[in-house]
Amino acid sequence: MKDTIEQICDEKFSDPLVTAKGEERAEVALNNPETLWFNTGTLCNIECPNCYILSSPKNDALVYLATAEVQDFLTQLKDRNWGVREIAFTGGEPFMNPDMIDMARVSLEAGYDVLILSNAMQPMMRKSVQKGLIDLHRDFGARLTLRISLDHWSPEFHDEERGKGGFEKTLKGMRWLRDQNITMTVAGRTMWDEAEAVARAGYAALFERESFKIDAYNPGKTVLFPEMDETVDVPEVTKDCWDILGKSPNDIMCASSRMVVKRKGDNAPSVVSCTLLPYEPEFNLGTTLEEAERPVRLNHRHCAKFCVLGGASCSA
């Protein structure tokens, strides 16, 4: 039997039922669905070195979703009585998808709040997209929210991730959204060994200077995500960890959400456990919401570091 620390680490996250130490792995049931995510495609106008989904101008591993496909899942939501309150769109850069405005509209018309994640750069600033956003805001008001990827409150660190000049390009988009009174939130990162209080104070000062109506101290309005480094050793989560950590499986993202993706070459979209694991076959739950209602075993280091130990969620 392998008994060295290195060997045990190699065996981690290899069995969906038990950990490397032979303990029963934790699982999470979908018991309070609040958000249905759609990945609009992995194509993006920029390429970031730490993008967990490897989005880039060339990566089309997840292809564009179409409005009709989104509409089909909205119908399934009603049929399955999930009680979802929010439809959320992520990418890639969602505004590169030519159906983005239409997909948002059918979701809003169906009665859901809509969240769109964006870097607020050139794809969002095209005239046709601007007109679409203005029309959506006119018709649905604060039920539409854009969460802007602003990795850090300083140009130095943001541009380290997004490329030289990225900070100012994103601020230009945010200023346009501000002037249209379109609701904004922000997603940042905690990858510079900066205390959360310092980071939030930095964002607060920026928001005040720019007259952005965003609460830097509200974790649902300024979301600070822990970095997901697959090379870092993290502990596995067993079913006994909930009591040890003082946490509930009901607080984990896969208890309240699922994500729809369409892989290149597939005839139809499929449903995965969450926004963080679009590629792993083990977390592909089927092609319908009914199939996706089964529990999820936490058999990935992202489950441990990002959700359980990091306490993060992609939903507000």
Side-chain angles (χ1 to χ4, degrees):
M1 176 180 288
K2 295 181 180 181
D3 54 6
T4 68
I5 294 176
E6 290 80 6
Q7 288 170 325
I8 290 175
C9 288
D10 288 341
E11 294 176 352
K12 283 184 175 181
F13 306 105
S14 60
D15 188 319
L17 300 181
V18 296
T19 69
K21 295 181 179 180
E23 299 169 295
E24 185 176 352
R25 188 176 302 283
E27 72 172 19
V28 174
L30 180 72
N31 57 21
N32 183 33
E34 294 184 347
T35 304
L36 181 62
W37 287 85
F38 290 92
N39 188 295
T40 62
T42 40
L43 286 174
C44 187
N45 56 303
I46 58 175
E47 184 172 5
C48 302
N50 292 297
C51 180
Y52 76 95
I53 202 170
L54 304 176
S55 297
S56 78
K58 296 181 179 179
N59 181 13
D60 60 350
L62 302 181
V63 297
Y64 288 154
L65 285 174
T67 303
E69 292 167 330
V70 170
Q71 184 64 68
D72 176 64
F73 279 95
L74 296 179
T75 300
Q76 291 185 49
L77 279 177
K78 297 293 186 183
D79 293 343
R80 299 304 300 169
N81 194 31
W82 273 25
V84 157
R85 63 171 180 81
E86 175 185 62
I87 301 298
F89 297 92
T90 185
E93 168 52 47
F95 288 113
M96 290 185 69
N97 185 315
D99 280 6
M100 185 61 255
I101 295 297
D102 288 340
M103 292 187 294
R105 178 167 288 279
V106 298
S107 302
L108 288 159
E109 289 176 342
Y112 301 103
D113 292 345
V114 163
L115 174 67
I116 304 174
L117 277 56
S118 176
N119 56 38
M121 292 183 179
Q122 191 274 335
M124 191 199 78
M125 294 295 282
R126 287 174 294 154
K127 294 299 183 183
S128 60
V129 174
Q130 288 182 327
K131 181 182 183 304
L133 288 172
I134 289 171
D135 290 345
L136 290 176
H137 176 67
R138 178 199 64 213
D139 296 341
F140 301 101
R143 288 178 50 213
L144 171 70
T145 298
L146 269 66
R147 180 189 289 168
I148 309 304
S149 297
L150 194 65
D151 289 328
H152 197 260
W153 50 267
S154 73
E156 176 188 0
F157 287 139
H158 178 86
D159 287 2
E160 182 182 296
E161 179 69 11
R162 302 272 166 172
K164 186 176 181 180
F167 186 82
E168 185 56 37
K169 291 176 183 177
T170 291
L171 281 193
K172 181 179 178 181
M174 294 179 71
R175 291 169 186 143
W176 181 83
L177 292 167
R178 173 201 65 197
D179 293 345
Q180 310 309 314
N181 203 31
I182 294 173
T183 302
M184 284 188 291
T185 60
V186 155
R189 297 192 183 207
T190 58
M191 56 184 288
W192 293 280
D193 296 321
E194 181 178 58
E196 181 175 340
V198 175
R200 293 196 180 279
Y203 279 109
L206 172 65
F207 297 161
E208 183 176 3
R209 287 197 306 271
E210 295 287 345
S211 298
F212 294 152
K213 298 177 182 177
I214 306 171
D215 185 351
Y217 297 100
N218 183 335
K221 304 300 181 182
T222 301
V223 189
L224 300 180
F225 289 121
E227 199 55 28
M228 294 174 289
D229 185 347
E230 295 197 19
T231 67
V232 174
D233 182 41
V234 295
E236 296 183 283
V237 181
T238 72
K239 70 172 187 176
D240 295 328
C241 283
W242 303 119
D243 290 336
I244 295 171
L245 296 171
K247 295 192 174 185
S248 167
N250 297 335
D251 299 329
I252 307 304
M253 185 162 47
C254 48
S256 60
S257 67
R258 293 289 187 264
M259 183 169 76
V260 177
V261 304
K262 190 172 184 181
R263 296 180 178 85
K264 189 175 183 178
D266 286 357
N267 293 324
S270 47
V271 187
V272 298
S273 60
C274 73
T275 59
L276 306 180
L277 301 168
Y279 299 129
E280 287 78 358
E282 181 181 341
F283 294 90
N284 186 351
L285 303 178
T287 59
T288 67
L289 295 186
E290 182 177 8
E291 293 174 294
E293 290 171 354
R294 59 189 172 92
V296 176
R297 291 274 181 170
L298 303 187
N299 190 31
H300 196 282
R301 62 187 64 249
H302 288 349
C303 304
K305 184 176 182 182
F306 187 87
C307 294
V308 178
L309 301 177
S313 173
C314 291
S315 299

